[in-house]
Amino acid sequence: MKQAIQIKENMYWVGVHDFNCRHFHGDLFPIAEGTTYNSYLIVDEQVTLIDTVEEEFYDTMMERIRSVIGERTIDNVIVQHAEPDHSGGFLKFMKDYPNARPYASNAGVGIMLKQYFKSYDFQRVKTGDTLSTGRYTLTFVEMPMIHWPDNMLTYVAEQKIAFSNDAFGQHIASYDIFDDAHGAAKCIDRAKDYYANIVMPYGMQVANKLKQIRDMNLDIDMIAPAHGIIWRSYLPELFQAYEDFATFKAVDKAVIVYESVWKHTQMMAEALAEGMGRNGICVKIFKCSMTSPAIIQKELLDAKAVLVGSGNYNNAMAGSIAAFLEKLITCKVKNKKGLGFGSYGWANLVTKEINARLEKAGITLLNDEVVSQNYTPSEADLDALMELGKQIAEEIKAM
Ligand code: FEO
């Protein structure tokens, strides 16, 4: 029988591992080693379940729950987020525990109905509302748009624990469920990966929410998110990292993303990279079609500049670059500069279009000139691009 893991007195992790998950949220976020869907059980005079799991893992969650409470009933279920990785087991749960009182944010109640076409007697809660389970008082904090309208966090003051749902999540799938087993560097890096791919467009909301939580003076020594490990040893590092992510704090770094058939655009990318790299800039260079979008997203988060290159294919940019730019426009990045570049044969249209899309993404152009190349770059052309890379390096350092 699968067992729950105690995380605090009377509080248990009753989640599941999804070791085979390689594409999180459809194909939006390729991941390497699977993830977890974390549910938590609070055993008090009333028993409360915080979130369920993906429907297919419901029985595993129930095994872990029964390892703690046996056949005792569950009085409350808190739906912190209606997305199916956390609510997929809800219908089965309500069948097994028809007298359980469900709680959700107002938005959450609406989404649950639209997703599952079944109405329940939800208690609609907002920030500051509480639920007393006996010894413990659960306080709800709405977290709208981190990263759906309905997300919320549940805080238990007596145990100094915040159940944060998607916020502060990461994809570490392990039986060592606390951060200290993995080291700060890995945990923060995975949190960055998750933030960049799931939360990045909502940096403003994250910054405001962090401020609100600070202003509420919640005494927290453990954060239990809905994915990955539980934070107890690296909370200062985690809060600092989230502040940095939310404000797009950047380093002297440029990301170059390009697509190239006959290597002409690739030669341009590498000349620009050389010019920047030789002049003190960390350069990450990716052939778009060969790279997981999750890797590029993560590198973008703290880069000051993004350079995007494509050849001209029948007057259009490469499909991979078009998709990359489309996503970039949704990311609402702040304080970044950028530049399009690329080679062409008979019509020089694509670089201008890349620049237009970069501007649409809120990115300031590094150069007024169109950086394009007719067929193969000569040595002189490449030297000129290296020189341009050097100038861009100085501009990045001055940002
Ligand atoms: Fe982990 Fe927004 O679902």
Side-chain angles (χ1 to χ4, degrees):
M1 184 183 193
K2 289 189 169 152
Q3 303 282 317
I5 299 176
Q6 186 163 12
I7 60 171
K8 289 254 184 187
E9 190 184 5
N10 301 319
M11 302 201 167
Y12 299 85
W13 175 83
V14 290
V16 299
H17 299 91
D18 185 357
F19 290 116
N20 293 330
C21 181
R22 291 291 177 275
H23 295 279
F24 185 70
H25 286 35
D27 62 356
L28 285 179
F29 185 4
I31 56 176
E33 62 168 65
T35 190
T36 66
Y37 311 117
N38 297 337
S39 299
Y40 299 97
L41 193 70
I42 301 175
V43 181
D44 197 358
E45 289 165 28
Q46 296 174 19
V47 177
T48 303
L49 179 67
I50 297 188
D51 292 321
T52 59
V53 295
E54 281 240 26
E55 185 184 6
E56 67 177 286
F57 298 100
Y58 175 78
D59 291 345
T60 302
M61 179 189 76
M62 286 313 306
E63 266 188 62
R64 296 197 200 281
I65 288 173
R66 291 200 181 105
S67 77
V68 181
I69 59 168
E71 297 308 311
R72 189 178 164 185
T73 196
I74 296 176
D75 303 281
N76 309 300
V77 55
I78 297 169
V79 179
Q80 297 194 115
H81 181 26
E83 200 161 12
D85 47 340
H86 310 296
S87 72
F90 179 78
L91 264 54
K92 286 182 175 170
F93 175 85
M94 291 306 290
K95 230 180 209 168
D96 286 349
Y97 297 92
N99 295 321
R101 277 180 303 278
Y103 291 73
S105 64
N106 197 37
V109 176
I111 297 170
M112 289 295 283
L113 182 60
K114 285 174 190 165
Q115 281 190 156
Y116 299 115
F117 311 109
K118 207 162 168 5
S119 137
Y120 293 91
D121 188 19
F122 270 102
Q123 310 292 307
R124 294 169 190 256
V125 292
K126 56 187 186 314
T127 297
D129 286 352
T130 57
L131 161 64
S132 172
T133 59
R135 271 168 295 181
Y136 303 133
T137 300
L138 281 52
T139 302
F140 302 107
V141 180
E142 292 164 283
M143 307 274 275
M145 300 321 296
I146 306 173
H147 66 122
W148 273 25
D150 64 311
N151 285 80
M152 64 179 194
L153 170 154
T154 305
Y155 173 63
V156 186
E158 296 85 354
Q159 292 278 23
K160 300 184 184 179
I161 185 170
F163 298 95
S164 63
N165 194 260
D166 278 333
F168 309 115
Q170 17 58 46
H171 295 306
I172 297 175
S174 171
Y175 290 97
D176 290 318
I177 65 167
F178 291 107
D179 54 358
D180 29 283
H182 302 273
K186 175 179 168 184
C187 295
I188 296 294
D189 187 68
R190 294 294 177 88
K192 180 181 177 185
D193 203 13
Y194 186 92
Y195 182 97
N197 281 281
I198 300 288
V199 189
M200 188 170 1
Y202 309 109
M204 182 72 80
Q205 287 89 337
V206 172
N208 290 339
K209 189 51 65 177
L210 288 172
K211 183 179 177 316
Q212 188 192 17
I213 289 173
R214 264 197 314 272
D215 291 348
M216 289 171 84
N217 283 322
L218 304 183
D219 191 5
I220 297 173
D221 69 11
M222 187 177 286
I223 289 187
H227 298 288
I229 51 85
I230 296 167
W231 303 88
R232 66 178 178 189
S233 297
Y234 307 132
L235 293 180
E237 291 93 333
L238 176 65
F239 290 138
Q240 184 59 54
Y242 254 66
E243 294 271 4
D244 292 348
F245 301 158
T247 54
F248 284 99
K249 185 176 175 191
V251 295
D252 287 345
K253 179 168 113 179
V255 172
I256 300 179
V257 184
Y258 73 92
E259 204 56 68
S260 185
V261 172
W262 298 113
K263 296 207 163 86
H264 302 152
T265 301
Q266 179 176 340
M267 290 164 78
M268 296 177 76
E270 290 176 3
L272 287 162
E274 178 116 1
M276 287 188 279
R278 268 195 216 148
N279 288 281
I281 302 300
C282 167
V283 184
K284 298 285 182 179
I285 178 164
F286 302 110
K287 187 169 183 180
C288 197
S289 59
M290 294 174 65
T291 311
S292 159
I295 292 172
I296 301 175
Q297 282 292 111
K298 184 166 139 194
E299 294 295 345
L300 271 178
L301 183 59
D302 61 356
K304 287 186 179 173
V306 53
L307 282 68
V308 180
S310 170
N312 286 243
Y313 308 97
N314 301 321
N315 300 339
M317 68 184 74
S320 61
I321 293 296
F324 167 73
L325 288 167
E326 191 65 27
K327 188 163 186 189
L328 186 62
I329 288 166
T330 69
C331 284
K332 300 188 182 135
V333 297
K334 299 245 176 333
N335 314 321
K336 296 197 193 300
K337 294 194 174 183
L339 190 65
F341 64 92
S343 71
Y344 67 97
W346 49 97
N348 185 11
L349 299 171
V350 160
T351 307
K352 279 185 217 150
E353 181 56 29
I354 292 174
N355 282 340
R357 294 191 196 184
L358 286 172
E359 288 190 293
K360 195 173 171 193
I363 290 168
T364 310
L365 296 183
L366 282 155
N367 195 326
D368 291 334
E369 306 287 316
V370 173
V371 181
S372 53
Q373 172 65 46
N374 193 211
Y375 291 103
T376 311
S378 66
E379 277 304 317
D381 292 328
L382 294 174
D383 285 345
L385 285 165
M386 283 183 219
E387 183 56 31
L388 176 60
K390 182 181 171 188
Q391 288 167 23
I392 291 171
E394 296 313 317
E395 199 164 334
I396 288 173
K397 285 187 259 183
M399 286 172 73

